Amino acid sequence: MTGSLLFEAIMFLAGAILCVSIAKKLGLSSVIGYLLAGVLIGPYVFGFIGEEGDDILHFAEFGVVMMLFLIGLEIEPKNFWNMRKTILGMGGIQVGGTMLVAYILFTLLGFEFKVALVIAMAVALSSTAIAMQTIKEKGLMDTTFGTSAFSILLFQDIIVIFMLGFIPLLANPEHNTSADAHSNSVSLIQNLPMGFQTLAIILSVVIIIVAGRFLIVPMLRKVAKTGVRELLIAAAFLIVFGISFLMEFVGISPALGAFLGGVVLSNSEFKHELESTLEPFKNLLLGLFFMAVGASINFIVIAKSPFMIGGVLVAIIVIKALVLYITGVVFKLKLDQRLLLTFGLAQIGEFAFVLLSFAFGLNILEQEQMDMLLVITALSMSLTPIISIVNERVILPRMGTKESVQRPMDHIAKSQKIILVGFGHFGSTIGRFLRSHGVEATILDHDSNRVDFLRKMGFEVYYGDATRTDLLESAGIAEAKIVICATNKIGVSKAISKLVKEKYPHVELMIRTKNRYDAYELLNLGHTNIYRESLDTSLLLARDVLSKMGFRKYTLNRQIQNFKKYDEDSLRRLAQEPNRGESYIFKAREELKQQEEFLNEDFKRGVVDFDKHWDSEHIRKTLKKSKSYTL
Amino acid sequence: MKKILVLFAHPKYEKSKVNTALIEHIRGKQNVTIHDLYEQYHDFHIDVKAEKELLQQHDIIIWHHPFYWYSCPPLLKQWIDMVLEFNWAYGPEGKALEGKICLNAITTGASKAMYCSAGINSFTVRQFLRPFEQTANLCNMTYFPPFAVMGTHRLTDDILEQSKIKYGKAIDLLQSNVTLDDFDQVSFLNDVSQLNTI
């Protein structure tokens, strides 16, 4: 029964749905739900998932791979450079400090120096998957804690490359021949001489960067031109799988490759599209990954030496927490932010699996050591959400300061975000005018040629179908203040406005319509900020005609304002009538008749009659009527 | 011959019989530039640089406007606010208008009799014009008595005719080399003897 792939898939999905719903209901992080599901269906509790657990873990790593790809996408090299001090400083202190203390600890425990060094490296890394998932779930990305954690994790993700390059240098040369026996993956570099292994890793990184620029982006543009949406999904997967394969082929972590690939593509117009395409898959696969971690907690190993494992686990978490706390002190984080950081990153990360099995493959570690460390890693990851809950519910409330008050000023602009949909002639004018006032809008457009061109002109434009919730979400609609629908397709505007109104009622909508009939529809859907493109320009033209006929410009300007007010009022009244049918036609006729009357009256009175004070003739007439009043 | 710039500000010029008569009468005079602010800056978007250049090309500045609520219409005030810049028109470096002559040419609905302590308006026109006078002083300009057509609410065609001729004469007079000393006894340009001799 357990051999059936379908059955396992059913177990995974059912377990996830059940446990995550329960976790969420209890107000816990979804990560706990997944881990618990993994433990339950794993070989040691119900045993639904058997020996294949390893394969599942391998497959589930795609979740981590995609997450790192997406993290990479979010880091534009420019931002990366801006953050270099925090990344290097905080990351350096954290990794260096943890490695040092852990190395001393494991040497004292009697491990050989090479083994202790490898373990120290593995222990220094935290779990990007767990930490980022939790941070995003709680919406803490913009806090000091969020950026600090992000910087540290980023540093770790990068330093892993060097660790992977360094570990082969520790391998015992006499065991090297047997290395192949352990390794069951196709790996190129393990057969190379040691110096070349490091070189190969650097080379593959360069390949990814170059390919990203000159191969992937042009390919995406071609795919986008076809207009077939699923092709873009396919392309997104092709990128992630392709990079992963290349990295695995060379023998280093596919997650790192994906991260680099993400960074390379972060400057392209496909950023948001890729993000929104992969996001749902990423979350499911990450869930699978967490379940696999839960399932791989080997209770037999634990049972063999519970105190040893428990002791080491506690020791590692304490070490990591201490180093993180000190890092927080050095970088002058507020106490609450510091505590969040301390407990948020105190676990061992998924890269430990990679590093440890890599070292095991090179015969640096023994089976027993590896088993123990894998269990400790999985346990420490499982403990993180629990520790965080204790921190949030017991420790932080006693500390007083709430993070929301401490938000730095520069996030105000970010939370006042404007999203501009459609960058044609209409939208681009809006965009240029906003930009000239220092207001940057996130621009979405569906024409990849135009997007390409505009990006060359230096605009921040993204390719994508804005009627999709996920794309709007990745464009940051949750924090947006205004969405401008500048597209000329009323269907698109209607779809967007419906979606925004339902899901993000706090966001103000400003919608372009071609004519009054489209305006009626939108007014009836409850939208109030309607801009008829036919109104202003035609009045400007009429104004200039009258000016050439000898009417005064200031007067005409004021008349335009009057006319617009008449017209907007009548538009709103008319919109309430059913759009078709006699009633509308009757009402419309009546309105048009009324408008004609307005115009006629204006004409008879002379053009201007809205400001009697400036009209001496009017005053004179009134005075004639009441001769007694002296003025 | 002195060059005169008439800064004309009327938000509803097409409805003003008196101002139309005055402006049309002096239009086309040699060395007189009529600058219709409400036509030029109908959106209140004043081109300050162009205005400064215009000012520098002229010797006499006339603020020609109806007397609305004891002051000028908003666009002329806007003009004053924007064009007479610190350190250009006034301030330690502000010498651009030094020595030029400045005056108001106004039309008022109420008659002269009502602009006095006993009248409905309690103060004289000269008193109400103090802000303009001081503006001119601050800019180191010589402020001349105003030219005023008053009581326009009840103005007869005859008097309107005389008024526009008088305005034309006043322009001529200003273009000859008159100084402030020539106006010792008068509070309005209208009362200068030269304008009243046919």
Side-chain angles (χ1 to χ4, degrees), chain A residues 552 555 557 611 614 620 631, chain B residues 11-12 14 36 42 114 153:
Chain A
R552 284 175 58 73
T555 304
N557 252 9
D611 41 9
W614 285 346
R620 223 173 290 139
L631 191 80
Chain B
K12 215 172 177 181
E14 61 272 62
D36 185 346
H42 52 87
M114 289 168 208
H153 292 328

Side-chain angles (χ1 to χ4, degrees), chain A residues 622-631, chain B residues 114 120 154:
Chain A
T622 317
L623 283 176
K624 255 182 206 161
K625 278 178 204 156
S626 62
K627 292 225 162 80
S628 58
Y629 187 78
T630 52
L631 191 80
Chain B
M114 289 168 208
I120 194 171
R154 298 179 193 281

Side-chain angles (χ1 to χ4, degrees), chain A residues 32-51:
Chain A
I32 293 189
Y34 283 123
L35 288 168
L36 184 67
V39 172
L40 288 179
I41 60 174
Y44 307 102
V45 181
F46 292 125
F48 293 131
I49 309 301
E51 294 307 305

Side-chain angles (χ1 to χ4, degrees), chain A residues 543 547 551-555 557 605 608-609 611 613-617 619-620 623 627 629-631, chain B residues 10-15 17 36 38-39 42-44 68-69 74 109-111 114 120 152-154:
Chain A
R543 180 196 72 184
S547 162
F551 287 89
R552 284 175 58 73
K553 283 191 184 140
Y554 175 71
T555 304
N557 252 9
R605 282 185 298 212
V608 241
D609 204 43
D611 41 9
H613 175 249
W614 285 346
D615 192 336
S616 44
E617 196 180 296
I619 297 176
R620 223 173 290 139
L623 283 176
K627 292 225 162 80
Y629 187 78
T630 52
L631 191 80
Chain B
H10 198 311
K12 215 172 177 181
Y13 177 47
E14 61 272 62
K15 298 286 274 185
K17 215 160 80 181
D36 185 346
Y38 273 93
E39 179 68 7
H42 52 87
D43 49 4
F44 272 57
Y68 284 157
W69 283 107
S111 66
M114 289 168 208
I120 194 171
T152 60
H153 292 328
R154 298 179 193 281

